[in-house]
Amino acid sequence: MNTLKKLQSTKNLTTAILIGILLLAAFLRLINLSANPPGLYWEEAAIGYDAYSILKTGKDHHGNPWPLVAFESFGDFKPSGYFYATMPFAAIFGLNSWVVRLPSALAGILAIWLLYQFSRELKLTQSISLTSAAILAILPWHIHFSRAGFEVNLATTFLLAGSVLILKARKKNWATLPAAVLMGISMYTYHGLRLIAPLITLTIAAYTFKSIKTNRWLLPAAITGLILTLPLLVNLTNPQITQRFQETSRFPSSNAVEITNQKRAAHNFSLASRVIHHRYWLWGGEVLSGMMDHFNPTFLFLHGDSNPRHQSTTVALIYAWLVPFLLVGLYQLIKSQTSIALVVISWLLIAAFPAALTKTTPHTLRFLPAAPMVALITAVGLHSAVQVTPNKLKKLIIPSILVIALSFLAIYLYDYHQLYPKTSAQHWQVGYEELVNTVRQLPADQPIHITRDYGRPVMYLLFYSQYPPQNVQQQAASAPKDQSELLMLDHYRFTNQPPESGYWVTTTLQETMPLKTITDHQQNPIFYIYEI
Amino acid sequence: MKSKNTLILITIILLGLGLRLYQLGSVPVSLYWDEAAIAYDALSIAETSQDMHGGSWLQAILPSYGDYKAPLYIWLTALTHILLPATPFAVRLPSAIAGTLIILLVYGISKQLFKSEAAALAAAAFTAISPWALQFSRAAFEGNLGALFTAATFWFTLKARSQPQWLNAAAITGIAGVYAYFSVRFVVPLIVIATIIFSYKSINRRYLTHLTIAIIIFFLGLVPLYRSPHYQASQQFRLSTQNLLNTDDHILTANHYRELTGNSRISRAIYHRYWFLIERFAENVSDHLTFDYLFLTGDSNPRHSTGVTGIMLIATAPLFLLGLYVGIKRFPSATLLILTIWFTSLIPAAIPLETPHALRSLNALPVLQLILGLGVWHLFSHPFRFKSVILTILSLSIIINFIYYLEDYYQHYPVRSATAWQAEYHRVTNYLKPRHDEYQQFKIHNLDRIWLYVLYFLKIDPHTAQSASSNYLITQVDKYTTESISDYELTHYPPDTLVVVPHNSPALNINPIIKDTLVDQAGAPQFVTIETNQFYDQ
């Protein structure tokens, strides 16, 4: 009876801690969501507007009804998942910047709970599971991507949910079916998941191999999974899928072919030389190198990647204080939990694989699906560090870790909320909102030319003016386009050329006085509006 | 059993020696200018007991071409020049021998740390075939000699755990290391301190006595260095390379961020320049730990790496991870010690800005081979499923990987790296050599340090060179002058002069008659020669 009571009270304590962690996660992810990141990136604007367009008319702004695999958008064919996730929120709250970010923020909070479940399913202790949830909650990498309309963050949460369900299915076979559905959805949410999700499904399935043989839901789930991937397979050679790969692939810019040809020539193209100096070897090396770029300490702990949208100004993906615990955790897992270690390490490598096929490595965004595993490993490391601490010091170690963790969190918050909005303003297209509000006041009978220097102006016009979707759809068929980006809308032209008479929005200062200057928070000019 | 192991060790060392000596004089294709400078100083000392500038051979710092070199490598090269003809082979031989001795030391260190014959033999074998070791053992790199003595010091300090008198030997090899490669003076004390902490159990009175004597020997050994008349100048020369302490990027970054965040007390603490300095140092250290550097491409300087392999062969990557794991699990304190030594060896490489740097961090070489050795030991001494299959695949892939590396090193690397090794300077001197008696004078356009090649490859009498030296330059000697040549000089040289200028020299604007064009391996023109008689005949 006593033990039962004790068990009950531990359970209550665990629940309380878990709720506390989730509240902290929610606070970190939701506070000031509409104003930091300081502006809406064009991908966010495009997602938001097309979600709005589908909601109002059942068609995207190009007039395509209910796209399944991908939205045409700027011709980059964005996976459809995030658009549909945004739709219900747009229906409730209308179209504005935090609504576009809400699916990602909520997914980020949910991921914390899912990681706890994942860890529990792997039979890791209650304290390790809670710690891993806590670390993911305060991990700068995960917070950062939960705070903007990043498809990869939503996809990662689906991936994690699917993984938890595959593990659950060992006891509750029916869970196999929703697992297959979630894994399928994740493949429609971010490009990289089209490789990551199937590979991780296989990895975790292999981990649960013993129970698979008796799983009665395996066949229905497999069929469901197949049906879900069918549209992707059918469109495999269609621009909806290939466009993205062609744009980002590392192979066209590789000099492997030249190098191997030179070396072959030195041997007069003998058979042996054609085998030894085959471009596949070099390509293999490049992909391997691209994968391993993601495990470079400078990338993970000091700088992140070179894209200011992908991490805060001076805090990288993972706090430097976690480094020793990450190493200890990895060691501890390999040593005493070899099969879990295999799952976790495979997960990390798989997460780096799609990014390695692209030109820009390392890549904070494409590698995000690895973040939950980083938190898990670190938690194992922290746990064993506390365990090996001599008893005399045990009372000290937990408070000291808490103090360190909170200090680093405070520094991160200062950096992210004080410095980051200023250093990253132009990368988040700060200025467009004010520009749209300004040009809408100008007389509509005059042509208005808006510069394309700052990227995709049409989407901001549509988004911030909540432009009626039917009107765009009508004009989209005949309007001039660059790829699929509209260059004309009503009396607006999107070009760097000034009109013969009318209004001109440009980024370069002209000789005459501008009608109005649009600036960022530090009063640096962004746009000049001239009357011509 | 014991004799079998000895036989294996001898085989490994012979293999290592063979790999270091084969075509030593011709691959890398030419002497780099540091090698040429060492070569001529050595020749000069061998023949006259004085360096090329006429200074005594017995100096703690030899001025060389104004870069103030450590003397030990030059002395050893003087020895090879007494015994052998003056060729690139003789210049590189001391490094090749040092590299071979490192194999033996790695064996000894491994035995001391892990007490396993198999781990030690494997570590030695990996040293023998290490692309990192081979790269620096196959050219006159003072750093390789320094690494030998650093390894020896480490070994002696380990041996001193049972026989403290070895500390004195450690002091002597430590000093030798410093005079082989100056930056060793920062690394060696740290390595010795770490090793002594590691061997705290054996510290007793006798140990402390020997330690005191050893410290005194070491510091006495450093006196000539610090009292050398060239010491100040050499320090200035060394610190003139861009490094973390003489650049101010971190201060600019800190100031910029402080300003953006309102320069409050909090922002000044969070964006303090020291944080950014620490960050940049950590970044430079981390550059030496990337997968690319360790296993794929290595140092980007073509003299420091062939570019087709990292400092370890990619096929050894699994063994390396296994070795690390086994080390931490089975020999935690010894592994912690070698990891500390690895980190210590990275410090001199992490302060200058060009990172990663395979030469400045060469003292870490034994550490990586020790770890690989542990990996092999674990595989051989533990039963596991599919053992023979896995061992076969692993050995085969390492062998194939090594052959691939060797094929590139001998077949393709010489072509690719010719410019980095100054092959074109060598080509000029090869051209001039048989023509010595055909002309009264030779004028050579003064490309960076080409005069060193003239001195060495045209076998200029050291006495003549010594008397021609001024400001550590020897540009006018025998019939040869290296100077800047424009069209004015070209037309005002006396008759019977042969002029050598780069093929794209502005002096050629006057369209002189070209005597010969010197081309590189690919047939692209590099230099042209001009006889001055054409300006007098008319």
Side-chain angles (χ1 to χ4, degrees):
Chain A
M1 192 63 200
N2 238 344
T3 36
L4 205 67
K5 230 178 206 170
K6 213 170 169 186
L7 214 64
Q8 188 62 38
S9 77
T10 346
K11 208 174 169 194
N12 288 341
L13 184 65
T14 306
T15 317
I17 295 177
L18 192 57
I19 290 173
I21 293 171
L22 287 170
L23 286 175
L24 175 67
F27 170 77
L28 294 170
R29 280 155 184 75
L30 294 171
I31 184 175
N32 206 16
L33 189 61
S34 59
N36 193 20
L40 209 56
Y41 183 50
W42 64 56
E43 309 265 349
E44 294 183 283
I47 288 172
Y49 188 74
D50 266 342
Y52 178 74
S53 174
I54 287 274
L55 179 72
K56 297 282 173 196
T57 65
K59 292 175 188 164
D60 73 356
H61 77 279
H62 294 289
N64 306 315
W66 301 98
L68 177 63
V69 172
F71 279 65
E72 186 179 347
S73 198
F74 305 116
D76 55 345
F77 293 97
K78 297 182 179 53
S80 57
Y82 203 99
F83 291 84
Y84 292 117
T86 311
M87 220 171 64
F89 299 105
I92 304 168
F93 302 108
L95 183 60
N96 58 54
S97 57
W98 63 267
V99 159
V100 183
R101 290 172 174 174
L102 201 54
S104 181
L106 295 177
I109 299 162
L110 186 62
I112 313 296
W113 182 75
L114 288 169
L115 180 62
Y116 168 81
Q117 294 298 337
F118 183 76
S119 169
R120 289 301 287 154
E121 287 295 333
L122 289 176
K123 310 262 186 320
L124 292 169
T125 64
Q126 196 67 262
S127 63
I128 290 179
S129 305
L130 286 172
T131 313
S132 57
I135 291 173
L136 189 62
I138 61 167
L139 195 68
W141 190 11
H142 197 253
I143 296 175
H144 195 94
F145 283 95
S146 300
R147 292 186 53 95
F150 284 116
E151 301 148 306
V152 67
N153 189 46
L154 182 62
T156 300
T157 300
F158 286 135
L159 177 73
L160 203 52
S163 307
V164 171
L165 286 169
I166 300 178
L167 292 172
K168 273 228 185 307
R170 285 173 298 180
K171 289 225 174 84
K172 296 171 181 157
N173 286 177
W174 58 264
T176 322
L177 191 64
V181 173
L182 282 164
M183 287 296 188
I185 291 176
S186 81
M187 295 169 73
Y188 287 86
T189 310
Y190 186 67
H191 305 281
L193 271 288
R194 290 169 188 166
L195 287 172
I196 295 175
L199 291 174
I200 286 187
T201 305
L202 290 178
T203 307
I204 297 180
Y207 176 77
T208 61
F209 185 68
K210 277 181 198 150
S211 66
I212 279 189
K213 283 176 260 176
T214 57
N215 187 332
R216 278 163 296 134
W217 285 79
L218 188 64
L219 195 63
I223 292 170
T224 313
L226 210 61
I227 292 172
L228 279 172
T229 45
L230 213 56
L232 292 174
L233 294 172
V234 168
N235 285 305
L236 212 51
T237 54
N238 189 303
Q240 294 189 34
I241 308 253
T242 56
Q243 180 69 28
R244 174 72 178 184
F245 188 70
Q246 282 163 3
E247 271 174 20
T248 53
S249 168
R250 78 183 308 144
F251 302 111
S253 60
S254 157
N255 56 0
V257 178
E258 290 152 44
I259 292 176
T260 48
N261 281 346
Q262 276 169 15
K263 286 191 165 187
R264 288 170 173 193
H267 299 287
N268 294 320
F269 297 95
S270 69
L271 184 64
S273 81
R274 275 180 293 168
V275 175
I276 298 171
H277 301 302
H278 199 283
R279 61 184 180 282
Y280 288 167
W281 293 112
L282 295 195
W283 279 348
E286 283 177 30
V287 171
L288 188 60
S289 158
M291 273 173 79
M292 300 314 287
D293 276 346
H294 295 88
F295 302 95
N296 179 337
T298 301
F299 165 69
L300 292 173
F301 309 111
L302 297 174
H303 285 309
D305 67 15
S306 53
N307 188 332
R309 270 189 308 279
H310 291 174
Q311 55 272 310
S312 190
T313 317
T314 70
V315 181
L317 286 56
I318 304 168
Y319 297 114
W321 72 273
L322 292 175
V323 176
F325 302 108
L326 195 53
L327 294 175
V328 172
L330 207 53
Y331 170 72
Q332 196 63 35
L333 275 179
I334 295 173
K335 189 175 153 191
S336 47
Q337 303 268 18
T338 315
S339 55
I340 298 181
L342 277 175
V343 171
V344 170
I345 292 170
S346 310
W347 186 307
L348 293 176
L349 292 174
I350 291 168
F353 178 61
L357 301 175
T358 69
K359 277 178 281 203
T360 27
T361 54
H363 201 283
T364 318
L365 185 152
R366 296 190 185 125
F367 191 44
L368 183 75
M373 294 306 116
V374 169
L376 188 71
I377 299 169
T378 318
V380 172
L382 270 168
H383 184 78
S384 37
V386 173
Q387 296 253 301
V388 299
T389 309
N391 275 333
K392 280 185 242 166
L393 299 174
K394 264 218 169 98
K395 273 188 185 151
L396 279 175
I397 182 128
I398 293 176
S400 359
I401 288 174
L402 275 178
V403 168
I404 294 172
L406 290 176
S407 322
F408 274 81
L409 177 63
I411 292 173
Y412 168 67
L413 288 178
Y414 187 87
D415 192 65
Y416 182 78
H417 288 284
Q418 294 298 318
L419 183 60
Y420 183 65
K422 290 161 190 157
T423 56
S424 69
Q426 75 173 98
H427 301 278
W428 288 99
Q429 269 58 33
V430 166
Y432 264 132
E433 184 169 13
E434 195 185 344
L435 178 73
V436 170
N437 292 336
T438 311
V439 296
R440 286 178 68 201
Q441 323 261 312
L442 297 173
D445 54 349
Q446 298 258 37
I448 300 178
H449 284 203
I450 300 178
T451 174
R452 297 176 66 205
D453 282 349
Y454 223 42
R456 324 278 201 221
V458 66
M459 200 46 77
Y460 290 93
L461 193 72
L462 296 173
F463 185 96
Y464 286 118
S465 64
Q466 312 221 345
Y467 194 88
Q470 299 89 337
N471 295 4
V472 209
Q473 288 159 10
Q474 275 164 16
Q475 296 183 50
S478 57
K481 289 177 200 163
D482 176 8
Q483 222 170 356
S484 300
E485 177 189 349
L486 301 185
L487 298 180
M488 188 172 145
L489 188 76
D490 297 342
H491 58 295
Y492 300 100
R493 301 284 177 283
F494 305 100
T495 165
N496 292 350
Q497 299 303 317
E500 278 177 20
S501 77
Y503 297 93
W504 186 31
V505 178
T506 174
T507 52
T508 47
L509 190 61
Q510 307 295 312
E511 281 163 18
T512 52
M513 267 294 285
L515 194 66
K516 185 173 162 88
T517 303
I518 298 198
T519 64
D520 66 12
H521 304 303
Q522 280 102 53
Q523 311 306 318
N524 301 316
I526 302 170
F527 296 112
Y528 303 100
I529 305 175
Y530 291 96
E531 188 173 0
I532 289 176
Chain B
M1 193 65 198
K2 186 143 194 219
S3 65
K4 189 181 150 205
N5 287 333
T6 317
L7 203 65
I8 296 175
L9 184 60
I10 291 173
T11 316
I12 290 170
I13 288 173
L14 287 178
L15 170 72
L17 185 66
L19 287 167
R20 280 154 183 77
L21 293 183
Y22 178 63
Q23 293 192 5
L24 182 63
S26 53
V27 184
V29 279
S30 165
L31 293 187
Y32 180 57
W33 61 48
D34 280 314
E35 295 184 279
I38 288 171
Y40 196 68
D41 258 339
L43 183 74
S44 176
I45 289 173
E47 291 184 5
T48 69
S49 303
Q50 289 179 326
D51 75 354
M52 62 169 127
H53 305 296
S56 160
W57 68 276
L58 188 62
Q59 298 186 70
I61 299 173
L62 288 171
S64 191
Y65 59 79
D67 66 331
Y68 304 99
K69 285 195 196 309
L72 193 56
Y73 196 98
I74 296 173
W75 294 339
L76 292 176
T77 315
L79 205 61
T80 61
H81 277 70
I82 292 171
L83 302 171
L84 298 169
T87 59
F89 180 85
V91 182
R92 290 167 172 173
L93 187 59
S95 184
I97 292 173
T100 311
L101 293 175
I102 290 179
I103 304 175
L104 199 59
L105 284 171
V106 169
Y107 171 82
I109 292 167
S110 180
K111 277 288 285 266
Q112 283 288 329
L113 285 172
F114 309 119
K115 311 263 183 299
S116 150
E117 193 69 36
L121 286 173
F126 280 115
T127 317
I129 64 162
S130 156
W132 193 14
L134 287 173
Q135 188 71 23
F136 290 104
S137 299
R138 294 186 51 91
F141 282 109
E142 302 149 300
N144 197 42
L145 193 58
L148 168 71
F149 288 112
T150 311
T153 311
F154 182 34
W155 184 52
F156 287 137
T157 317
L158 287 171
K159 277 177 88 74
R161 287 178 302 171
S162 51
Q163 292 155 298
Q165 62 271 29
W166 285 109
L167 285 171
N168 305 311
I172 289 164
T173 51
I175 296 167
V178 173
Y179 287 101
Y181 194 55
F182 290 138
S183 79
V184 166
R185 70 183 191 271
F186 304 112
V187 178
V188 140
L190 292 173
I191 290 181
V192 170
I193 290 169
T195 315
I196 292 173
I197 293 172
F198 166 74
S199 28
Y200 69 96
K201 276 186 195 153
S202 46
I203 296 179
N204 51 31
R205 247 180 107 157
R206 198 158 147 257
Y207 190 92
L208 287 175
T209 317
H210 281 289
L211 184 62
T212 317
I213 300 172
I215 291 171
I216 294 171
I217 295 176
F218 183 72
F219 282 104
L220 283 178
L222 290 183
V223 171
L225 174 66
Y226 287 93
R227 298 198 44 174
S228 161
H230 298 307
Y231 183 70
Q232 288 302 330
S234 80
Q235 279 302 92
Q236 266 166 20
F237 179 82
R238 244 158 278 280
L239 293 176
S240 67
T241 48
Q242 284 231 311
N243 66 60
L244 292 182
L245 305 171
N246 64 14
T247 46
D248 55 4
D249 303 16
H250 59 289
I251 304 174
L252 297 177
T253 314
N255 289 348
H256 177 56
Y257 290 163
R258 283 172 172 193
E259 203 179 304
L260 284 177
T261 47
N263 222 349
S264 66
R265 194 170 294 189
I266 297 175
S267 91
R268 274 179 301 175
I270 291 182
Y271 304 117
H272 196 282
R273 63 181 185 279
Y274 289 158
W275 296 124
F276 292 100
L277 192 61
I278 292 170
E279 185 183 73
R280 296 192 60 194
F281 176 75
E283 205 180 309
N284 286 355
V285 169
S286 124
D287 283 346
H288 293 86
L289 305 176
T290 66
F291 192 82
D292 274 14
Y293 175 69
L294 293 177
F295 295 109
L296 285 175
T297 50
D299 190 326
S300 59
N301 182 329
R303 281 187 306 279
H304 296 171
S305 163
T306 63
V308 303
T309 174
I311 59 175
M312 287 180 273
L313 295 170
I314 176 79
T316 60
L319 269 183
F320 186 74
L321 290 177
L322 181 67
L324 262 181
Y325 169 70
V326 171
I328 294 169
K329 194 167 161 183
R330 299 290 303 273
F331 308 97
S333 61
T335 307
L336 194 64
L337 173 66
I338 59 174
L339 292 179
T340 310
I341 289 174
W342 187 359
F343 177 76
T344 310
S345 307
L346 297 182
I347 297 174
I351 292 175
L353 298 190
E354 327 152 69
T355 53
H357 203 286
L359 176 58
R360 295 191 186 118
S361 58
L362 190 61
N363 288 317
L365 173 75
V367 173
L368 305 190
Q369 321 309 324
L370 294 171
I371 294 172
L372 289 173
L374 280 179
V376 173
W377 167 76
H378 184 79
L379 281 185
F380 275 95
S381 55
H382 289 76
F384 54 92
R385 264 189 291 178
F386 310 118
K387 182 165 175 171
S388 54
V389 179
I390 290 178
L391 287 184
T392 313
I393 292 174
L394 195 64
S395 330
L396 269 181
S397 57
I398 292 174
I399 292 169
I400 291 171
N401 195 181
F402 184 62
I403 291 173
Y404 179 79
Y405 157 76
L406 275 189
E407 192 266 350
D408 178 78
Y409 185 83
Y410 285 100
Q411 296 285 329
H412 307 290
Y413 173 66
V415 183
R416 201 164 64 226
S417 64
T419 319
W421 290 98
Q422 309 297 353
E424 68 274 23
Y425 289 8
H426 199 166
R427 206 163 284 128
V428 169
T429 55
N430 273 346
Y431 174 85
L432 293 177
K433 202 169 182 183
R435 293 176 170 78
H436 180 265
D437 299 331
E438 293 172 28
Y439 298 92
Q440 291 301 315
Q441 287 194 48
F442 297 89
K443 304 285 183 184
I444 303 143
H445 186 71
N446 65 342
L447 291 164
D448 264 357
R449 294 165 200 153
I450 196 169
W451 56 273
L452 292 165
Y453 295 73
V454 171
L455 293 177
Y456 187 70
F457 288 110
L458 299 178
K459 300 285 171 282
I460 305 296
D461 177 15
H463 292 103
T464 327
Q466 287 158 8
S467 50
S469 158
S470 84
N471 286 326
Y472 305 133
L473 285 172
I474 303 167
T475 52
Q476 218 169 348
V477 64
D478 197 326
K479 288 178 173 181
Y480 305 96
T481 310
T482 51
E483 63 185 8
S484 175
I485 298 173
S486 70
D487 49 1
Y488 177 83
E489 279 88 17
L490 186 59
T491 50
H492 288 74
Y493 285 137
D496 288 327
T497 303
L498 185 70
V499 184
V500 183
V501 292
H503 74 100
N504 55 359
S505 160
L508 300 176
N509 290 345
I510 58 166
N511 289 320
I513 302 165
I514 306 290
K515 175 156 191 301
D516 283 307
T517 303
L518 310 187
V519 298
D520 68 9
Q521 286 118 313
Q526 285 185 313
F527 291 93
V528 295
T529 62
I530 300 150
E531 291 177 321
T532 54
N533 283 357
Q534 61 179 293
F535 305 115
Y536 293 89
D537 288 351
Q538 296 123 359

